[in-house]
Amino acid sequence: MTESKKESVKFTLSNPIHFLALGFGSGLSPKAPGTFGTVAAIPVFLLFTLFTPLIYAIATLVVCIAGIYICGKTAEDVGVHDHGAIVWDEIAGYLITMFLIPVSWQSILVGFILFRIFDIFKPWPISYLDKYVHGGFGIMIDDVVAGLMALACMHFIF
């Protein structure tokens, strides 16, 4: 994205769709917005741990499905596909990473690191999905798969 295009992007935090897509504002970080979006997912995860596993799974599924619209609409509004500030997909991916994992500061940290590794380095099939799937579904699916891969590692570790 060119510098002039980057500067012309206008998010509106008063718009609830943008607010969610931006991870409650965390995605507006000038450096590493995806990392800050994942940090914003930690309190959401801690809230979800109050649920039964079934409700956690359903709530996470709702986050993922709603994310298709939330991310797609925000990207459309600002005219940039998968703008770095859109981090709802990181929140969904982290919630997936932590499904049925015992809660401790260690598990939260390891889950954070694993999810970020998969999200940043994008091993196959994440890289394929990131490159060839577009729209709101495309924004979400690579992070969902990164979350599933990190989840598999978490269950092996914990």
Side-chain angles (χ1 to χ4, degrees), residues 57-94:
I58 291 169
T60 301
L61 183 62
V62 168
V63 166
C64 292
I65 292 170
I68 296 169
Y69 174 76
I70 290 166
C71 295
K73 175 69 172 139
T74 302
E76 179 184 309
D77 289 351
V78 299
V80 179
H81 174 72
D82 206 0
H83 188 284
I86 298 173
V87 296
W88 185 259
D89 50 332
E90 273 79 13
I91 292 171
Y94 186 74

Side-chain angles (χ1 to χ4, degrees), residues 31-147:
K31 300 281 186 195
T35 298
F36 281 94
T38 307
V39 169
I42 294 171
V44 178
F45 161 67
L46 292 172
L47 174 67
F48 278 28
T49 64
L50 301 174
F51 304 152
T52 65
L54 177 62
I55 300 299
Y56 184 112
I58 291 169
T60 301
L61 183 62
V62 168
V63 166
C64 292
I65 292 170
I68 296 169
Y69 174 76
I70 290 166
C71 295
K73 175 69 172 139
T74 302
E76 179 184 309
D77 289 351
V78 299
V80 179
H81 174 72
D82 206 0
H83 188 284
I86 298 173
V87 296
W88 185 259
D89 50 332
E90 273 79 13
I91 292 171
Y94 186 74
L95 291 173
I96 292 167
T97 298
M98 299 304 291
F99 183 61
L100 295 176
I101 301 298
V103 180
S104 69
W105 70 266
Q106 295 95 338
S107 67
I108 290 169
L109 180 61
V110 172
F112 178 90
I113 292 168
L114 284 171
F115 174 69
R116 292 307 301 145
I117 287 171
F118 283 110
D119 190 34
I120 291 167
F121 293 106
K122 300 187 185 317
W124 189 90
I126 300 167
S127 57
Y128 178 86
L129 296 167
D130 184 55
K131 186 174 182 178
Y132 294 108
V133 184
H134 303 289
F137 183 75
I139 295 170
M140 289 296 299
I141 192 63
D142 64 309
D143 289 81
V144 166
V145 175

